[in-house]
Amino acid sequence: MAKQIVIVGASSGIGFEMARQCLEQGYNVVGISRNEGLLATLPGVKWMQKDVVSDGLTAEELPSVIDGLVYCPGSIVLKPFRSISAAQFTDDFAINVLGAVNAVKASLEGLKKAAS
């Protein structure tokens, strides 16, 4: 049976390349992103439209067994620290940390099943 890989942020950049390579290796890929982007060019990816920060994510939406979880969304404001607003810092923290926490929490049961 093919392994199940969940990739959050799969519509472009590193996430897209991960999805492409996983498909090449015969894995089943669930790509989660706010928009479909380049995933439309990859037949075989099960795409889920979701913003893991604001929409949340539940275990019921994911495969029952998850062999791998990849979290690729990311943001960083590249300014001198004194110039970063609280809102910019909060937005970056939400994407880089809270979104990852949401994805891991939703994936835990599926990841445990794959490990057993």
Side-chain angles (χ1 to χ4, degrees):
M1 183 169 159
K3 294 193 182 247
Q4 299 283 340
I5 308 297
V6 174
I7 303 174
V8 181
S11 64
S12 65
I14 294 170
F16 172 77
E17 186 59 25
M18 288 290 298
R20 191 188 66 71
Q21 288 186 25
C22 285
L23 284 174
E24 274 184 6
Q25 294 178 31
Y27 299 134
N28 292 325
V29 176
V30 175
I32 302 172
S33 57
R34 292 179 294 182
N35 55 64
E36 192 172 20
L38 294 173
L39 286 179
T41 66
L42 290 180
V45 172
K46 180 183 176 201
W47 176 59
M48 181 186 310
Q49 183 176 16
K50 184 74 71 170
D51 181 327
V52 295
V53 175
S54 61
D55 298 337
L57 187 63
T58 66
E60 294 76 30
E61 297 172 290
L62 299 175
S64 60
V65 175
I66 300 171
D67 297 288
L69 172 65
V70 180
Y71 188 81
C72 292
S75 176
I76 186 168
V77 176
L78 295 174
K79 295 182 180 180
F81 196 71
R82 68 182 177 278
S83 301
I84 298 174
S85 71
Q88 290 169 320
F89 181 82
T90 301
D91 289 346
D92 282 356
F93 183 80
I95 293 167
N96 294 312
V97 178
L98 300 179
V101 168
N102 291 342
V104 170
K105 284 174 60 176
S107 301
L108 275 177
E109 288 304 313
L111 290 165
K112 286 179 186 177
K113 287 179 185 174
S116 56

